[in-house]
Amino acid sequence: MNIIEDSIFPEREVVYAKFATRFYATLVDILILLIPFVLISIFLPTPRLFILLMSWLYSAIMVSGPRQATYGKRAYWIKVTDMNGERISFANATGRHFAKYVSTITAGIGYLMNLWDGKGQTLHDKVAGTLVVTRPKVF
């Protein structure tokens, strides 16, 4: 299934997700994951490994799933595709998730790359060969 033929993009125009949209979607995902993280930290003395595992599985399963998006991304009508607009594999989604740590340790520059990249890719998108797209604005 090509992104251009996908029912979520009937206008046949690909629009790359902007920095602000991706940022807000990430905030929604953080809020969603915060509740179980807090509950787990009450019962486990060192929940770091569990939190790492949970955030990885949430991201990788959702992004590689049929909707190609976490709940935060779905709230803002964005999804993750490969460079051809196709759904990515779980392995690719896993690599993308852990590449976010590289985007973070570059003092956030990896995330800011979205602002000047022609396809709106961040460093972790480039590493994983992914695009984050949204539906076109229809007036």
Side-chain angles (χ1 to χ4, degrees):
M1 175 169 52
N2 190 314
I3 192 170
I4 295 175
E5 300 167 353
D6 192 351
S7 63
I8 198 169
F9 297 105
E11 296 83 5
R12 298 184 176 271
E13 179 185 349
V14 176
V15 178
Y16 304 110
K18 302 289 185 209
F19 180 83
T21 307
R22 292 177 67 161
F23 178 77
Y24 294 136
T26 299
L27 288 180
V28 170
D29 287 329
I30 288 169
L31 290 174
I32 289 170
L33 289 171
L34 192 60
I35 295 166
F37 289 171
V38 169
L39 293 175
I40 294 302
S41 66
I42 292 170
F43 299 108
L44 292 176
T46 54
R48 288 186 187 108
L49 182 58
F50 181 78
I51 289 171
L52 179 70
L53 178 68
M54 193 169 152
S55 64
W56 158 57
L57 288 174
Y58 171 77
S59 176
I61 290 170
M62 298 285 287
V63 168
S64 65
R67 296 192 185 233
Q68 299 171 254
T70 60
Y71 290 117
K73 286 177 179 55
R74 287 175 61 190
Y76 286 91
W77 294 92
I78 59 178
K79 68 181 184 177
V80 179
T81 72
D82 67 10
M83 298 303 287
N84 296 316
E86 302 291 328
R87 189 167 130 188
I88 64 173
S89 68
F90 179 79
N92 196 356
T94 294
R96 182 178 184 275
H97 173 78
F98 288 107
K100 288 180 183 180
Y101 294 106
V102 177
S103 290
T104 301
I105 63 172
T106 59
I109 301 296
Y111 289 102
L112 295 175
M113 287 173 62
N114 168 271
L115 295 170
W116 61 80
D117 184 80
K119 293 183 178 179
Q121 288 181 292
T122 59
L123 180 58
H124 54 274
D125 288 322
K126 290 185 178 294
V127 168
T130 58
L131 298 170
V132 180
V133 296
T134 188
R135 63 184 185 168
K137 302 277 188 256
V138 179
F139 297 99

